[in-house]
Amino acid sequence: MSKHILTRGHSRALTRHHKIAAAGVAALGAVAIGFSAVPSTASTNTTSEAAVPTAKVAYSTEQIKDVKGTVTDQLAGATVKAEQIAAKKQAEAKAKAEAAAKKAAAEKAAKAREAKEAASRAAKRAEVKAEVKKDAPKSYPNNLDGWIRESLAIMKKHGIPGSYEGIKRNIMRESSGNPKAINLWDINAQNGIPSKGLLQVIPPTFKAYHVPGTSWNIYDPVANITAACNYAADRYGSMDNVDSAY
């Protein structure tokens, strides 16, 4: 029985020893934790009245520089840059096309202007040639037909009436178309002023009715015809009204 009591006493003594040891360990752990939470320069006072100073945080509204954006931001920037480059190239291409079109239009206008000026010069040259040709004396054949036609042209300028048929008819009756014909047997010849030429005109009549622009030679076919027609127009109204000697 005494042994059992000893044993129980021993057991009770161990238990108390264990409790003291556990309390010591807990106290040492708390002290270690306190040292680890306090800076090296701070006091080791662990009383509840000691306060740890609070650090102040400064805030700024200034944008942080030199900070790379996210991958999405970088891709977006690259896309914008590519669009700008494409737009620039498109604008350059458009400007070149407009410049080329403007140059082509200017060249076309210049060619049209040159063609118009060339046509105008050609038209003026044609007008000058026409005027020269108009003013130049018309060439007539040296025969009865040519003499009559040239005489009619001169008569028209001077307002002397007469027709091709009327002139030719009287010429054939008076001289048979011989410009050198001369009458040496009629009364005029007997009086010393024989009738001469295609229409058998006496010298005084030829001189009085001579038409300006023609020869003064009474045997000249055109001069003889125009003078005779001028006389017939004054006396009979027109050579067309003469059907016999006049």
Side-chain angles (χ1 to χ4, degrees), residues 128-142:
V128 171
K129 288 181 180 180
E131 290 295 329
V132 171
K133 186 176 181 180
K134 180 180 179 181
D135 295 337
K138 187 175 180 179
S139 179
Y140 296 93
N142 188 26

Side-chain angles (χ1 to χ4, degrees), residues 140-150 164 177 179 198 221-222 225:
Y140 296 93
N142 188 26
N143 54 32
L144 182 59
D145 178 74
W147 300 332
I148 295 174
R149 292 186 182 283
E150 186 175 354
Y164 183 97
L198 289 174
V222 175
I225 292 172

